[in-house]
Amino acid sequence: TLPTTVPTTLPTTLPTTVPTTLPTMLPTAYPSHACNGDSQHLYKLIMHDSAGDGWNGLCAVVTDGDGVGLYNVTLDDGFSGVEYMCLEDGAYTFTIASPTPAPTTAEPTAEPTITASQSYEGWEPFYDAGWCHSDLDEEICDGGSWSTCSLSHCIDSCTSAYGETTNVEYHCDSDHGCWCYCQSSCDCMEAVGDSSTWAPTGTLTIPESCPFSYSYSYSYNYNYNYATGG
């Protein structure tokens, strides 16, 4: 007897001749760091540490010919690390050094730094000239920090509160802080060297020291009653 169906001579579907997707490109030798323009070149810094605990705060510092720091890198932890730098053609200095301390945010307290670091447009200072003897001598602030008793606060307060203001006594030092007094004249100078006077530019010529001085006397009265027994 014959078989019920004759077998086919070919498979139902032929295999494809090529893969459906091509493999991805080979990995690049460097990460895709980009430098600015054609004038810069990419440099790779490989850092090692034999103890495996990083550089303990030391930094690799790269400076240019003018001494300007361009890169400041470190190995925070581990045995090795990599940093990339973009540099133009030129001469550079490479050093291992302690990191530069962060700038302090504390207010300065030493005179004349505070006094001399402030300015007011249209006014000029007479540093350490002393204290003008004046009929008007009104306090705005005394003993405050330079942030609460600033030169601008002093002059603005005096000129707005006292129309006769011709100059101000403004000074700061490390022992007493900053002070501001409004004045209407400058007949002579007291406490020369211990204070500074400010006035609109070109309006004040510092006079001579005052010929007089202040003296203070104190008296104390004590009453004692003694009783003796007999």
Side-chain angles (χ1 to χ4, degrees):
T1 61
L2 296 174
T4 56
T5 56
V6 179
T8 59
T9 59
L10 298 173
T12 55
T13 57
L14 294 175
T16 58
T17 56
V18 294
T20 55
T21 58
L22 295 176
T24 58
M25 297 177 60
L26 292 175
T28 58
Y30 297 96
S32 55
H33 292 276
C35 295
N36 296 327
D38 298 332
S39 62
Q40 291 189 335
H41 305 283
L42 181 66
Y43 292 86
K44 179 180 181 181
L45 174 64
I46 303 175
M47 300 171 288
H48 294 282
D49 181 74
S50 59
D53 58 352
W55 284 3
N56 298 311
L58 292 178
C59 295
V61 181
V62 179
T63 56
D64 63 14
D66 296 324
V68 177
L70 303 178
Y71 287 92
N72 191 329
V73 299
T74 187
L75 181 62
D76 292 323
D77 195 12
F79 291 92
S80 63
V82 176
E83 290 286 346
Y84 292 89
M85 298 175 287
C86 291
L87 299 172
E88 297 181 352
D89 289 336
Y92 299 92
T93 302
F94 183 92
T95 56
I96 302 296
S98 299
T100 303
T104 178
T105 57
E107 293 179 356
T109 56
E111 195 281 327
T113 303
I114 302 174
T115 308
S117 66
Q118 301 185 71
S119 62
Y120 193 95
E121 185 176 1
W123 285 61
E124 62 180 334
F126 299 87
Y127 297 124
D128 302 322
W131 194 293
C132 284
H133 179 257
S134 169
D135 293 335
L136 175 69
D137 204 19
E138 292 295 331
E139 175 187 325
I140 296 298
C141 49
D142 194 341
S145 67
W146 68 270
S147 59
T148 58
C149 186
S150 65
L151 175 64
S152 59
H153 173 67
C154 174
I155 295 176
D156 288 342
S157 299
C158 287
T159 53
S160 62
Y162 304 99
E164 66 269 35
T165 296
T166 58
N167 51 282
V168 300
E169 198 64 33
Y170 180 80
H171 195 80
C172 300
D173 66 28
S174 57
D175 295 325
H176 306 96
C178 299
W179 58 85
C180 167
Y181 286 78
C182 311
Q183 299 183 321
S184 60
S185 59
C186 191
D187 302 328
C188 60
M189 302 306 296
E190 306 171 49
V192 175
D194 294 331
S195 191
S196 298
T197 297
W198 299 69
T201 302
T203 63
L204 178 64
T205 299
I206 296 297
E208 298 293 330
S209 298
C210 296
F212 52 85
S213 61
Y214 294 100
S215 62
Y216 301 90
S217 62
Y218 301 90
S219 62
Y220 300 93
N221 295 317
Y222 299 96
N223 295 317
Y224 296 96
N225 293 318
Y226 296 93
T228 60

